[in-house]
Amino acid sequence: LLYEKSDCENQAEEFDYENAKILGIDYAMHGMAVFSEDIQKENEGYFRKSEERLAREQRKLSHCVKGSNNYYRQKKRVALCHEKIRSQRKDFLHKLSHEIAEAYDVVAVEDIDMKAMSQCMHFGKSVMDNGYGKFRELLEYKLTWRGKKLVRVDRFFPSSKKCCKCGNIKKELKLSDRVYLCTCGNRIDRDLNAAINIREEARRMLLAG
Ligand SMILES: [Zn+2]
């Protein structure tokens, strides 16, 4: 048993984090998450058909006389649409987390408490509904199962304000600034910049031990 343990330790020490495949993930209120690499996302349009159907059925419901038979029948249809979207979303999160856990050695996320965040920001519904918390949970489970790692980057790490090219840290960045502009010439999507910073911060942490 001792032998096995030291073998394991050697392996861990030798792991080449300098060149490890690390995926950085930045939480996004809309669209759930932004990745530091081009991840093939089939979710574009994945739920669109179901959501269009839901909107249609909800419109019909609004025209039904409350309490009528039609009303109850229509209400049931709306509920079924919700159910379908829920299960499609769950399915999608499982697939995506599986693919990532297969393809990457390490996944880096911000150490944010989703529950506290939704409460303090009063965004409750959208934060909880976009599935990010569940996604992170699935990722951690699937990575650990493969002997890989989910790394949490400190929540005070300035992932949004830092320039991913030159490391300069902006004093101010408004939520409405969707593009990160730096004096070094870097011009990049705000969330992509953050995701890359999260990835590199995780690499730094792993190399530091
Ligand atoms: Zn810069």
Side-chain angles (χ1 to χ4, degrees):
L1 190 75
L2 270 174
Y3 226 34
E4 277 175 24
K5 200 183 167 198
S6 74
D7 266 0
C8 263
E9 277 168 2
N10 282 340
Q11 255 182 3
E13 266 170 38
E14 278 163 23
F15 197 87
D16 179 14
Y17 286 121
E18 194 82 58
N19 296 303
K21 278 189 84 181
I22 304 181
L23 178 70
I25 303 182
D26 183 43
Y27 166 73
M29 191 125 40
H30 305 286
M32 191 176 80
V34 173
F35 302 107
S36 61
E37 331 288 308
D38 253 334
I39 295 261
Q40 182 203 337
K41 272 195 290 183
E42 32 172 342
N43 69 333
E44 325 256 328
Y46 197 82
F47 315 112
R48 201 184 303 143
K49 266 193 187 151
S50 306
E51 277 167 351
E52 280 167 6
R53 169 104 198 268
L54 173 64
R56 251 191 339 264
E57 301 294 356
Q58 273 171 334
R59 251 192 325 272
K60 278 191 203 162
L61 180 65
S62 71
H63 294 135
C64 290
V65 179
K66 253 192 184 165
S68 67
N69 281 344
N70 267 346
Y71 175 82
Y72 289 116
R73 205 175 301 137
Q74 192 56 30
K75 218 176 164 184
K76 203 170 178 187
R77 283 204 190 109
V78 169
L80 282 172
C81 283
H82 275 298
E83 183 56 42
K84 174 144 195 218
I85 291 173
R86 250 197 307 279
S87 93
Q88 279 182 324
R89 186 166 286 148
K90 205 172 113 191
D91 198 49
F92 167 70
L93 291 180
H94 268 283
K95 269 193 205 142
L96 185 62
S97 56
H98 173 85
E99 277 166 26
I100 291 172
E102 284 281 307
Y104 289 88
D105 304 314
V106 174
V107 174
V109 295
E110 279 173 297
D111 188 16
I112 45 174
D113 178 348
M114 299 309 294
K115 238 180 215 163
M117 190 172 162
S118 69
Q119 279 159 5
C120 84
M121 290 174 86
H122 304 290
F123 287 134
K125 197 165 181 298
S126 60
V127 172
M128 299 315 274
D129 276 0
N130 84 3
Y132 182 71
K134 179 77 190 165
F135 174 58
R136 216 173 49 175
E137 213 173 90
L138 286 171
L139 260 179
E140 180 156 40
Y141 172 77
K142 289 175 195 209
L143 287 162
T144 309
W145 195 78
R146 288 168 175 79
K148 297 175 172 182
K149 265 184 194 169
L150 183 86
V151 172
R152 288 181 170 78
V153 166
D154 192 289
R155 72 187 69 190
F156 296 111
F157 172 69
S159 59
S160 298
K161 289 183 179 167
K162 189 175 178 176
C163 170
C164 68
K165 281 258 168 71
C166 73
N168 180 48
I169 295 172
K170 274 184 197 273
K171 281 209 180 75
E172 225 186 314
L173 185 74
K174 285 183 225 134
L175 256 172
S176 56
D177 297 336
R178 298 317 303 165
V179 174
Y180 187 97
L181 283 169
C182 182
T183 47
C184 76
N186 190 16
R187 182 190 171 91
I188 184 173
D189 173 82
R190 173 213 179 94
D191 296 329
L192 180 58
N193 179 63
I196 292 171
N197 283 330
I198 290 165
R199 180 189 71 200
E200 292 312 311
E201 175 62 8
R203 196 186 305 278
R204 187 196 64 75
M205 286 163 64
L206 290 165
L207 285 168

